[in-house]
Amino acid sequence: MILKTFRWAFVVTAIGLAGGFLLGFREGGGIAGAFESLVLVAILTILEISLSFDNAVVNATILERMSAFWQRMFLTVGILIAVFGMRLIFPLIIVSITAPLNPVTVIELAVAGGTGPGSYAQHLHEAHPAIAAFGGMFLFMIFLGFVLEEQEHSWLAWLEKPLARIGKLDQLNVVIALIVLLIASATLSTTAAHQTAAVVLIAGVLGVVTYLLVNGLGELFETSADEAHEEEHGEAVAKSGNGNLVKAVGKAAFFLFLYLEVLDASFSFDGVIGAFAITSDIFIIAIGLGVGAMYIRSLTVYLVRKGTLNEYVYLEHGAMWAIGALAVILLITIRYEVPEVVTGLIGVAFIAAAFISSLVRNRRLGGDDSSDDAGEPSGDQEAVKV
């Protein structure tokens, strides 16, 4: 299964390394320059995987609700959007809007490279407060949507259960998010023109609105699919015939796909910014981060097909807490520098802790099939979603 699921990641890796080698050679570096570019691609790939590992777990919780066709779309069309859209074109658009510069000038600056004053890297760095506010608030809404909703299992029960109880208050997630955004804009914004509180506020509100719009449309069409299934089969959608999740198709699957792409964009921001500390060549950055994104996508599909999330029930919890930590870190970076290694290690730490907790739980249940999480239903039968 590993070879089958990761075959495209291996193919993209070979193409990416070859492309990096040729870029270094053609830019006048000779063999030495070619090998240097190849190494840079490898480093950027590792950077992307380390920063987005928790993204794979979150993606898997969404992808398992999609049909095989949309899973293939995620690996094919989705990866093109991730590489060329989110890691190459989207930063160009951000720089063009915030600089402000016309698109042609931005492209010329990007191709020219460099990290000095007036360079593409510098303009992207100046646009970081708006990027961080948008991505941070979008991820924070995802985190709140999880912890303020009652879950079948509780990992950090002492914290998750009280949060789920207060989460019954309608629209509490929006209230909390906007309060956090107001605090961030007031305390983390500087006096520089590109870092005003207004810029942070507008970008943050757009992040919240994007989440509400995409998530709301997805839920709308999921409900429609649920009702259609009930009319067709004359029963509530609880289980499919084989006990697996009922897969979303059509418009519901499309909005889940769109949700995944926005989620990927939010995760990619810190990687794109951090990549300029390694190289200023946008083509090497796009190749390296793109190869890493392919591995994250393949890992997502592997987790779904292997049923890992059903077997290790706390992994989703760990990923969501990692998202919450990343959201806070992104907001902090509006004003302060946070090393990429810190961002990556926090995510890995949450995932590792959740995995170990899942192992302990499985061993306990293996010794006593009649027990489960305190006060919770058995995890053998997972809730079925559309």
Side-chain angles (χ1 to χ4, degrees):
M1 177 178 286
I2 292 179
L3 289 177
K4 181 179 180 181
T5 306
F6 285 86
R7 66 181 184 276
W8 283 111
F10 298 147
V11 170
V12 171
T13 299
I15 295 174
L17 291 174
F21 185 90
L22 291 175
L23 275 175
F25 189 83
R26 292 188 62 182
E27 289 176 357
I31 296 298
F35 275 105
E36 180 182 355
S37 295
L38 187 147
V39 171
L40 288 174
V41 169
I43 292 174
L44 290 169
T45 298
I46 295 172
L47 172 68
E48 176 68 14
I49 294 174
S50 65
L51 290 176
S52 301
F53 184 80
D54 47 349
N55 191 13
V57 180
V58 178
N59 285 349
T61 66
I62 302 169
L63 199 66
E64 68 177 355
R65 298 155 59 188
M66 300 167 68
S67 65
F69 169 78
W70 283 99
Q71 290 181 10
R72 288 194 297 271
M73 289 288 286
F74 178 72
L75 271 175
T76 52
V77 176
I79 193 62
L80 293 177
I81 295 174
V83 176
F84 297 104
M86 300 306 178
R87 289 163 176 80
L88 186 61
I89 298 176
F90 187 69
L92 292 172
I93 294 173
I94 290 295
V95 170
S96 180
I97 293 173
T98 58
L101 296 168
N102 68 69
V104 175
T105 302
V106 173
I107 293 173
E108 290 175 348
L109 288 174
V111 173
T115 56
S119 65
Y120 172 73
Q122 180 62 30
H123 283 301
L124 187 60
H125 178 75
E126 292 175 353
H128 179 71
I131 296 173
F134 177 90
M137 293 313 300
F138 182 85
L139 293 178
F140 194 59
M141 287 293 293
I142 293 174
F143 168 71
L144 291 176
F146 182 83
V147 298
L148 294 179
E149 182 177 332
E150 186 174 356
Q151 303 298 325
E152 183 179 5
H153 303 282
S154 294
W155 178 39
L156 304 176
W158 58 274
L159 183 56
E160 292 180 352
K161 288 185 176 181
L163 287 173
R165 283 195 291 269
I166 66 173
K168 293 178 181 179
L169 181 62
D170 193 33
Q171 301 300 321
L172 181 62
N173 59 338
V174 178
V175 174
I176 294 175
L178 292 179
I179 290 174
V180 169
L181 177 59
L182 285 171
I183 294 173
S185 64
T187 60
L188 298 175
S189 300
T190 69
T191 56
H194 59 275
Q195 291 180 311
T196 61
V199 170
V200 172
L201 274 174
I202 292 172
V205 169
L206 286 175
V208 173
V209 170
T210 300
Y211 170 83
L212 293 174
L213 181 62
V214 177
N215 188 64
L217 287 172
E219 289 183 353
L220 172 65
F221 288 109
E222 280 186 78
T223 302
S224 299
D226 190 344
E227 293 172 350
H229 184 92
E230 184 176 350
E231 289 180 3
E232 181 180 352
H233 297 278
E235 58 184 6
V237 179
K239 294 180 183 179
S240 64
N242 58 5
N244 293 325
L245 298 178
V246 179
K247 305 298 184 181
V249 295
K251 293 180 180 178
F254 171 75
F255 281 105
L256 285 175
F257 175 80
L258 184 61
Y259 181 87
L260 280 173
E261 293 306 318
V262 179
L263 179 64
D264 176 75
S266 299
F267 270 95
S268 70
F269 291 147
D270 55 341
V272 173
I273 299 294
F276 279 95
I278 299 173
T279 177
S280 61
D281 191 320
I282 63 165
F283 300 111
I284 294 295
I285 290 174
I287 292 173
L289 298 184
V291 173
M294 189 67 206
Y295 276 98
I296 294 299
R297 273 164 161 65
S298 297
L299 178 60
T300 298
V301 174
Y302 179 80
L303 292 175
V304 172
R305 294 176 179 174
K306 194 72 174 178
T308 305
L309 296 181
N310 290 335
E311 183 177 357
Y312 304 102
V313 297
Y314 298 138
L315 277 181
E316 182 179 5
H317 294 255
M320 287 299 177
W321 281 100
I323 280 183
L326 177 58
V328 172
I329 289 173
L330 279 174
L331 293 178
I332 291 174
T333 60
I334 291 174
R335 183 166 187 172
Y336 303 103
E337 295 287 340
V338 177
E340 283 72 24
V341 66
V342 173
T343 305
L345 287 178
I346 287 178
V348 171
F350 273 112
I351 296 294
F355 178 73
I356 293 172
S357 297
S358 298
L359 285 177
V360 172
R361 171 188 179 275
N362 291 347
R363 288 182 180 179
R364 186 179 71 248
L365 292 180
D368 182 5
D369 291 335
S370 63
S371 66
D372 199 345
D373 301 306
E376 295 178 349
S378 172
D380 294 335
Q381 296 296 329
E382 294 296 318
V384 177
K385 307 172 185 176
V386 178

